[in-house]
Amino acid sequence: MLEEIGQIVTGKTPSSNVIGAFSSSGIPFVTPKDMDGRRWIETTERYLSEAGRQSLKNYLIPKDSVAVSCIGSDMGKAILLKKDSVTNQQINTIIVDASKHNPKYIYYVLSLKQEELKSIAGGSATPILNKGHFSKVVIELPDKVDQDNIVQVLDSLDCKIELNNQINQNLESMAQAMFKSWFIDFDPVRAKIAAKQEGKDSELAAMCAISGKSEAELEQMAKEDFAELQATAALFPDELVESELGEVPKGWEVTRFSNIVEKYIDNRGKTPPIQSEGIPLLEVKHLPEFSLNPDLNTDKKVSLETFNTWFRAHLQENDLIMSTVGTIGRLCIVPANRTLAIAQNILGLRFKLNKVNPLFMYYQMNSAKFRNDVDARLVITVQSSIKRKDLETIDLLQPDINIQNIFAEKIKPFVLSQQSDESLKLINIRDALLPKLLSGEVEVENL
């Protein structure tokens, strides 16, 4: 039973009487909202101040403990704590006796038991797995040597997946910085304006702004690279003009969303017939928060016949996919050579390629301004939602298509790296091995 593995602690939220219990740094305060797919929880939405920590000092959980959400429809999620932390009352945590058990092994075992934990909690509107019932959950454990050997295999896969995710996040940050510089701050345009006012070479100034290099460094560039940079700088205007969006580069258009969309793709507004094999059905949860690439490891599939008859239109490579209900505004791009179906609450967008580049649109639709415009048009009922007709009224910046295409080509090495494909393969290997290693069907020595 879990109570034999180590001490079990149910978390607690600071009393409202504690002044300044939360802060922007300090002791991580873990809630189910922080259980967003990470294996390790190191950063959280909120932290406890010293006052908050003192008020809950008896609830402080040491690092390497295993925390499990135990209330609500999404209960049963397991995570590892990277730092000493406090959880709220919706989480039970096992402080594993590391002399007898490997905490990561306990995490892996519990990660396979989400459905079992839900069934123990019962089928009420708000299922709860209290500390007493949680403590009595039975799991089978080999001796610690075998636990350590199995963890070594699974942990190596997870570490590589996490490293790939970090690489992807860094590359994505570089792409976002470039978009902001070119299309929000208009750095190349402002550099040209400043150079003109000072009687300097405006094109050279724009080249410095685009490349991040000094004039001396530009002189050291290869002729081909210099010529390419020079041609890009020449495309940027040297003047800002007033528009519906405020100051924008002269010659760049402001257009309605409806003017650049070629086709909308959705389903019938209800769930199609589901099966375990076939074409992946993307739901809102499969749309990433900070990545171009959707999670293709879906648990729901549709048959080819359903795909051909149920959906009004089919997604194509480079179509954008946007969540429109509940968690609104998550975006990704349909990858090459993939056939995908979409559930309700998701809208596919195919843009007019002579007007906008899909990669450019991905970043514009992820910008703060676009998201604010979406928020202003939300329909609030049981769940927030954005309708197609409301999207169509949003004003967008439409730069020279040549600049958009150059931007897309420059960021492709960042956002379309092989790390995502490799991670997907590693995830599939890990998920296939996990239950077999834990059950003893596959032995570590045979790998």
Side-chain angles (χ1 to χ4, degrees):
M1 290 185 289
L2 293 182
E3 65 184 3
E4 299 171 329
I5 294 170
Q7 180 186 355
I8 295 178
V9 177
T10 301
K12 188 175 182 179
T13 298
S15 167
S16 58
N17 295 326
V18 180
I19 306 300
F22 296 102
S23 65
S24 58
S25 62
I27 298 295
F29 182 68
V30 184
T31 71
K33 190 174 182 180
D34 297 306
M35 296 178 169
D36 51 10
R38 290 175 286 171
R39 182 171 62 138
W40 292 95
I41 296 293
E42 182 174 10
T43 59
T44 49
E45 187 177 82
R46 293 189 294 174
Y47 297 83
L48 293 180
S49 65
E50 180 58 24
R53 188 189 73 81
Q54 285 294 335
S55 72
L56 297 178
K57 59 184 178 182
N58 293 332
Y59 295 86
L60 188 65
I61 305 297
K63 66 178 183 177
D64 296 330
S65 297
V66 183
V68 181
S69 59
C70 288
I71 187 171
S73 59
D74 206 23
M75 66 170 297
K77 285 186 175 180
I79 53 94
L80 288 156
L81 299 178
K82 194 76 169 181
K83 298 178 177 179
D84 293 355
S85 306
V86 172
T87 77
N88 75 353
Q89 60 273 20
Q90 295 174 300
I91 295 173
N92 285 316
T93 303
I94 308 170
I95 304 174
V96 179
D97 182 350
S99 67
K100 298 178 181 178
H101 304 288
N102 188 312
K104 291 179 184 177
Y105 188 89
I106 305 304
Y107 158 78
Y108 284 121
V109 171
L110 291 175
S111 70
L112 291 178
K113 287 189 172 290
Q114 184 170 11
E115 294 306 316
E116 180 182 332
L117 295 177
K118 285 182 178 179
S119 67
I120 295 172
S124 62
T126 305
I128 298 175
L129 185 60
N130 61 37
K131 180 179 177 180
H133 289 147
F134 182 75
S135 300
K136 303 301 181 184
V137 171
V138 176
I139 62 174
E140 295 183 7
L141 296 173
D143 62 44
K144 190 170 184 298
V145 173
D146 287 338
Q147 291 181 34
D148 293 341
N149 290 336
I150 291 172
V151 164
Q152 186 175 8
V153 174
L154 296 172
D155 189 50
S156 65
L157 290 169
D158 271 325
C159 285
K160 178 56 176 167
I161 292 166
E162 289 158 359
L163 176 61
N164 285 352
N165 289 341
Q166 184 61 56
I167 292 171
N168 287 340
Q169 289 173 13
N170 291 340
L171 294 174
E172 174 63 16
S173 295
M174 294 168 68
Q176 289 177 358
M178 184 174 174
F179 178 85
K180 183 175 184 294
S181 175
W182 286 24
F183 303 113
I184 295 179
D185 297 336
F186 310 130
D187 288 338
V189 177
R190 295 186 187 280
K192 281 190 172 184
I193 293 171
K196 277 177 59 179
Q197 293 172 345
E198 296 171 7
K200 296 180 180 179
D201 187 331
S202 62
E203 196 166 278
L204 198 61
M207 293 170 68
C208 291
I210 293 168
S211 65
K213 298 179 183 294
S214 66
E215 291 186 16
E217 289 173 320
L218 292 181
E219 293 176 359
Q220 303 301 315
M221 292 178 65
K223 288 185 178 180
E224 296 81 1
D225 295 336
F226 185 91
E228 180 183 334
L229 179 59
Q230 190 175 39
T232 300
L235 292 173
F236 283 90
D238 59 3
E239 186 178 347
L240 293 170
V241 296
E242 285 296 328
S243 76
E244 299 92 323
L245 299 178
E247 279 192 331
V248 300
K250 186 176 182 179
W252 291 12
E253 295 183 30
V254 174
T255 188
R256 282 289 170 95
F257 194 84
S258 57
N259 294 333
I260 59 174
V261 177
E262 180 179 306
K263 191 178 189 65
Y264 296 98
I265 302 99
D266 58 14
N267 72 4
R268 298 179 181 180
K270 54 183 179 179
T271 304
I274 301 298
Q275 57 186 45
S276 59
E277 299 293 334
I279 295 167
L281 180 72
L282 292 184
E283 300 176 285
V284 173
K285 66 182 180 180
H286 300 121
L287 306 191
E289 194 167 0
F290 301 112
S291 171
L292 276 164
N293 305 299
D295 177 7
L296 302 180
N297 191 31
T298 65
D299 53 354
K300 296 179 182 177
K301 310 287 194 302
V302 298
S303 67
L304 181 59
E305 180 182 359
T306 298
F307 180 74
N308 289 330
T309 58
W310 184 273
F311 300 94
R312 299 168 185 164
H314 295 149
L315 294 169
Q316 297 178 3
E317 178 183 353
N318 290 327
D319 287 347
L320 262 67
I321 310 170
M322 176 181 177
S323 57
T324 57
V325 176
T327 305
I328 294 170
R330 287 198 175 182
L331 291 167
C332 62
I333 291 184
V334 177
N337 304 317
R338 293 304 303 242
T339 302
L340 301 172
I342 52 176
Q344 64 267 45
N345 304 340
I346 293 179
L347 182 64
L349 301 162
R350 186 168 304 148
F351 294 104
K352 297 176 182 178
L353 298 184
N354 64 327
K355 292 181 177 290
V356 291
N357 184 288
L359 268 177
F360 166 80
M361 280 305 302
Y362 169 83
Y363 285 96
Q364 178 153 227
M365 291 174 67
N366 257 325
S367 68
K369 182 198 174 301
F370 185 87
R371 290 183 176 275
N372 290 338
D373 287 342
V374 167
D375 289 344
R377 291 164 172 78
L378 292 182
V379 177
I380 310 296
T381 53
V382 177
Q383 285 186 309
S384 301
S385 64
I386 181 75
K387 297 186 180 299
R388 191 169 79 183
K389 64 181 179 62
D390 297 316
L391 279 175
E392 292 184 335
T393 64
I394 295 177
D395 287 326
L396 296 168
L397 184 64
Q398 185 185 332
D400 183 321
I401 188 63
N402 294 310
I403 294 178
Q404 293 184 47
N405 290 338
I406 290 172
F407 166 77
E409 286 302 314
K410 285 186 176 296
I411 67 168
K412 274 183 181 178
F414 300 160
V415 300
L416 302 180
S417 71
Q418 295 301 310
Q419 305 297 330
S420 296
D421 290 340
E422 181 182 75
S423 289
L424 181 60
K425 293 175 183 176
L426 291 172
I427 289 169
N428 290 333
I429 292 171
R430 179 203 62 196
D431 290 348
L433 276 176
L434 179 56
K436 294 181 179 180
L437 283 169
L438 298 186
S439 68
E441 181 181 344
V442 172
E443 295 183 358
V444 174
E445 293 79 4
N446 295 331
L447 293 177

